Amino acid sequence: MRRILALLVLTFLIGSMLHAVELRGELVVVGLDISPNPFSTETVITVNVSHSIAAEIVISDCQGTVVRHIYAGLLSAGYHQFVWEGKNDAGEILPSGKYSCDIAGKSKFTSVKKFVILK
């Protein structure tokens, strides 16, 4: 019950999409937000984790194809921000459309936030 209450309080305070996963007997809370959304030239991906986790952050198009790898490695507890300029891994500017930002961890959790590029 305490864990559910803590998750609800964090959701209210952070205002971002939160996902919780049990990792080594502890509840790890992962927050994911993208701002501005929609955007035209760049956006900031904010990730908040309550404990250190191994994670990968990718951008996928509306068909689910990964178009950009943002980060892969250990995220320490706290806030992390990544600026993305709307380009794919080859440095090409992506067209207007619907995309998603996925954060996946080795502990088998995934959190997804959808967003739009408007040119």
Side-chain angles (χ1 to χ4, degrees):
M1 183 64 168
R2 274 185 17 199
R3 290 181 178 179
I4 293 171
L5 182 58
L7 183 60
L8 291 173
V9 169
L10 281 171
T11 302
F12 177 76
L13 292 175
I14 296 171
S16 65
M17 180 176 178
L18 292 178
H19 181 87
V21 62
E22 188 92 18
L23 182 63
R24 294 185 297 272
E26 294 187 55
L27 185 68
V28 177
V29 179
V30 179
L32 175 61
D33 194 31
I34 297 175
S35 182
N37 181 16
F39 74 98
S40 61
T41 57
E42 72 177 30
T43 191
V44 177
I45 300 164
T46 303
V47 178
N48 182 24
V49 292
S50 61
H51 293 71
S52 294
I53 58 168
E56 180 180 27
I57 303 169
V58 299
I59 305 295
S60 301
D61 63 17
C62 61
Q63 281 100 21
T65 303
V66 174
V67 294
R68 179 81 165 114
H69 294 83
I70 301 294
Y71 179 83
L74 185 66
L75 288 173
S76 59
Y79 283 92
H80 305 272
Q81 291 190 323
F82 306 90
V83 176
W84 181 54
E85 297 86 10
K87 297 178 182 177
N88 64 17
D89 281 334
E92 302 163 329
I93 296 173
L94 292 168
S96 295
K98 295 179 183 178
Y99 294 85
S100 65
C101 179
D102 304 87
I103 179 170
K106 290 183 179 180
S107 57
K108 298 182 181 173
F109 76 89
T110 301
S111 186
V112 178
K113 179 84 174 185
K114 296 184 186 238
F115 62 98
V116 175
I117 297 177
L118 290 176
K119 300 285 178 175

